[in-house]
Amino acid sequence: MKRTTMPPPTLSRAIGAGVALVTSALVGGAIAAPASAAPPAASTVDTTGPASTDVTPYTAELTRWAADTWRSMAAMTDPTTGLPADNIGGDLSPATASGFTSPTNIGGYLWSTLAVRDLGIIGGAEAHDRVATTIGTLETLERNAASGMFYNWYSPADGTKLTTWPENGTVVNPFLSTVDNGWLAAGLRMVANAEADSDPALSARARALYDSMDFGVFYDPQGKQPVLPAGANRGGFWETPPVGETGCEAPAYNGAPVTLVYTCHHYDTTVSESRIATYLGIVNGQIPASGMYGTFRTMPDGCDWSWQEQRPTGQDRVYDGLTVYEGAYSYDGMSFVPSWGGSMFEALMPSLLVPEEQWGPTSWGLNHPITVAVQEKHGEDAGYGYWGFSPSSNPAGGYREYGVDLAGMKADGYLSDQENTDVDQSYRDCPDADRGHNPDPSFGDGVVTPHASFLALGYDPAAAVANLRGIENDLHAYGPGGFYDAVAVKSGTIAKRYLSLDQSMILAAVSNAVDHGAMRRHFADDQVRDALQPLMAAQTFSAAWAPDDAETVPGDGGAGGETGGGGAGEPGQPGTGTQPVGDPGPSTSSLADATTAAPTTALAATGSRAGDSAAWWAALALITVGTGSAGLVARASRRRRDA
């Protein structure tokens, strides 16, 4: 759902292989830094194993960055309602704050307030008052009666549900987003846990809001069967047929006596920020545990699926009687489970709150640090001198999905530069596939976003801090509210504004790094651990570090090109090319929905390549099982942690 940011009218869903929604929005504030900005000293990315996760040398610097970041978050927030605007201009002028907010923004503001309280940036009394104000407003907001879910757009000034876009008056179809509601519910759960001792009454109010949200309303038990063995979440729903959007009517999945108009796509990609909603539904008993297996690691192997970015390697595995194809892509000898677009936040945002790499040592425990290494290696291979590719403001104006093309299932990007350089490799052993047109391109003006580096703090803090130092000191993409949202590294053009979503990821990441997993402690209580840890511990991804003696071509590794997938924007969201956090638009879903009817071939069973690393993590799992969330936050992960 990634983000909201900029306006435009409602986006039509592009359903079909290879179709992506391209949207733009006026952003203003793009500025060019001196063209002489120099990249940090060149270094070689180690693709053969995880890096140290020791953040001790960087504590003071990280805390300074967090304090400045909080300044922008506070400036975005209406003091009367406690609702944060979606974004604000780089000078933090109240006049530049957007006239809209989303459930994700609100959830992120709640945990950001806890984070800066825990870091000592604000006092306990101020944090309490801020959280209480927001909870009080949430109790009054209009919601969907059949599920308790919140609409996707409200006015920060008075909390009214938006039916017209404040920037231009275009019609907004009130939409209820799966992922946006997931992030708000996560924030409410964190407040309920964090305030349980200091203010039981406030804790109870936050818990009541949380308990009123039924994630079963999003869960389609049929999912994409028989292509996938279990059900999956829809992207969300409208209460009535939307104008200018395509929906699929169905009785409410949670059994409420109403018919809803669901998105026709599912969230069917495992490595997606949308998994937070599945986690919450499982924890609450509203979604069955099998929901963990209703998503694709990769699309299936075989030439019938040659629209995806790479031809995967992997094998079938059986979990609780369900057969799952554990496919993987490759980059420079590393094997990993890709996201839809190859962006950092898709892979790592949920682990800000859930200790996935600790609970799933042979799945997320490998995939997360390898994802970071792939991002680092792409920045090196492309000649950018910097890395950290994730949906963000476009330095040229508007909002765009950025990512590592070869690390996403979407065949034509998310792309990493302003020139939209698309890597297009041949699809191995499929001669009829129209592929291989641009296997080894030259990249242009790469765009990096600071929040991606912060997400990497738990996996390679030394590289993340070095990257951020260069962005601040050499690219000058830093202002009164912390790091500006994005910068084009060759031209030095800066997207001079702040997005509340990205700022909330930064604050959660710093809190986890400096305060030993504080955000995870607030979220991952015993109930969360008991519901999710056994499921994660059982899974084995086909992820592996490169062999020490490997000499492979970046993106090759025998797998071929990139993957193809979803789209931008989310239904009911005035398209700005942005997607509410956690909601990757059609995601692999719309494209996968379009390919559901395609013939499937026998799934390859070439075997997992986790090897000794997987065995090491499995041993670690035996040590950590049963220690509880407090013990888990100690993080035995050696290069990870998506703070």
Side-chain angles (χ1 to χ4, degrees), residues 256-628:
V258 295
T259 295
L260 301 173
V261 184
Y262 287 94
T263 61
C264 294
H265 76 276
H266 296 83
Y267 281 122
D268 57 3
T269 302
T270 299
V271 181
S272 166
E273 76 281 11
S274 66
R275 65 188 182 271
I276 190 66
T278 303
Y279 290 164
L280 289 165
I282 292 173
V283 169
N284 298 345
Q286 299 157 348
I287 292 176
S290 61
M292 284 281 211
Y293 306 114
T295 55
F296 290 105
R297 314 298 205 221
T298 65
M299 299 301 161
D301 183 28
C303 297
D304 292 330
W305 298 83
S306 64
W307 55 264
Q308 63 179 309
E309 186 63 45
Q310 297 189 26
R311 184 162 185 177
T313 58
Q315 69 175 41
D316 283 350
R317 293 188 184 278
V318 179
Y319 305 103
D320 295 328
L322 302 175
T323 301
V324 175
Y325 176 55
E326 290 289 1
Y329 284 3
S330 66
Y331 192 105
D332 206 37
M334 298 175 285
S335 297
F336 59 94
V337 180
S339 62
W340 178 242
S343 71
M344 197 74 96
F345 102 98
E346 293 173 283
L348 300 184
M349 186 176 175
S351 66
L352 287 171
L353 309 184
V354 181
E356 294 173 311
E357 77 280 0
Q358 296 169 21
W359 292 355
T362 58
S363 53
W364 302 109
L366 289 165
N367 216 66
H368 285 336
I370 292 172
T371 294
V372 172
V374 167
Q375 288 250 338
E376 294 171 354
K377 193 70 172 68
H378 178 68
E380 180 181 276
D381 293 341
Y384 297 148
Y386 297 88
W387 54 273
F389 311 97
S390 199
S392 64
S393 299
N394 183 341
Y399 183 92
R400 252 187 68 181
E401 287 86 6
Y402 295 98
V404 177
D405 192 11
L406 285 171
M409 286 188 273
K410 187 176 187 296
D412 55 351
Y414 307 163
L415 308 175
S416 64
D417 63 8
Q418 293 295 65
E419 292 79 5
N420 294 309
T421 301
D422 180 16
V423 183
D424 182 26
Q425 297 183 345
S426 62
Y427 204 75
R428 178 175 50 84
D429 300 328
C430 295
D432 294 334
D434 184 20
R435 303 292 296 276
H437 303 291
N438 196 22
D440 188 22
S442 296
F443 293 90
D445 198 6
V447 175
V448 297
T449 179
H451 80 256
S453 292
F454 281 97
L455 286 172
L457 271 178
Y459 315 111
D460 195 351
V465 169
N467 203 47
L468 289 164
R469 286 172 178 165
I471 292 172
E472 177 183 13
N473 300 320
D474 296 328
L475 296 180
H476 310 292
Y478 200 88
F483 288 94
Y484 293 128
D485 201 51
V487 57
V489 300
K490 293 185 179 178
S491 66
T493 308
I494 299 168
K496 195 178 181 183
R497 68 169 178 167
Y498 302 102
L499 305 187
S500 62
L501 166 61
D502 293 350
Q503 302 303 79
S504 72
M505 284 191 277
I506 289 172
L507 289 170
V510 173
S511 174
N512 279 331
V514 173
D515 196 17
H516 310 293
M519 296 292 95
R520 291 173 162 193
R521 287 199 302 275
H522 292 318
F523 180 81
D525 53 36
D526 289 350
Q527 183 185 9
V528 172
R529 181 201 64 209
D530 292 347
L532 300 181
Q533 184 181 24
L535 298 173
M536 293 183 186
Q539 298 179 53
T540 299
F541 290 173
S542 295
W545 291 96
D548 289 339
D549 59 351
E551 291 186 9
T552 57
V553 178
D556 182 22
E562 306 178 325
T563 342
E570 167 175 300
Q573 162 179 338
T576 113
T578 84
Q579 317 172 171
V581 151
D583 186 356
S587 186
T588 98
S589 50
S590 65
L591 222 167
D593 281 344
T595 60
T596 297
T600 58
T601 58
L603 301 182
T606 57
S608 169
R609 294 168 36 190
D612 293 339
S613 187
W616 187 93
W617 283 110
L620 174 62
L622 296 177
I623 298 171
T624 57
V625 167
T627 60

Side-chain angles (χ1 to χ4, degrees), residues 1-2 103-104 176-184 215 218 234-236 267 272-277 570 580-584:
M1 113 187 190
K2 212 324 177 216
T104 290
L176 297 106
S177 160
T178 304
V179 181
D180 282 284
N181 275 286
W183 292 118
L184 175 54
F215 284 89
F218 298 118
R234 295 279 185 181
Y267 281 122
S272 166
E273 76 281 11
S274 66
R275 65 188 182 271
I276 190 66
E570 167 175 300
V581 151
D583 186 356

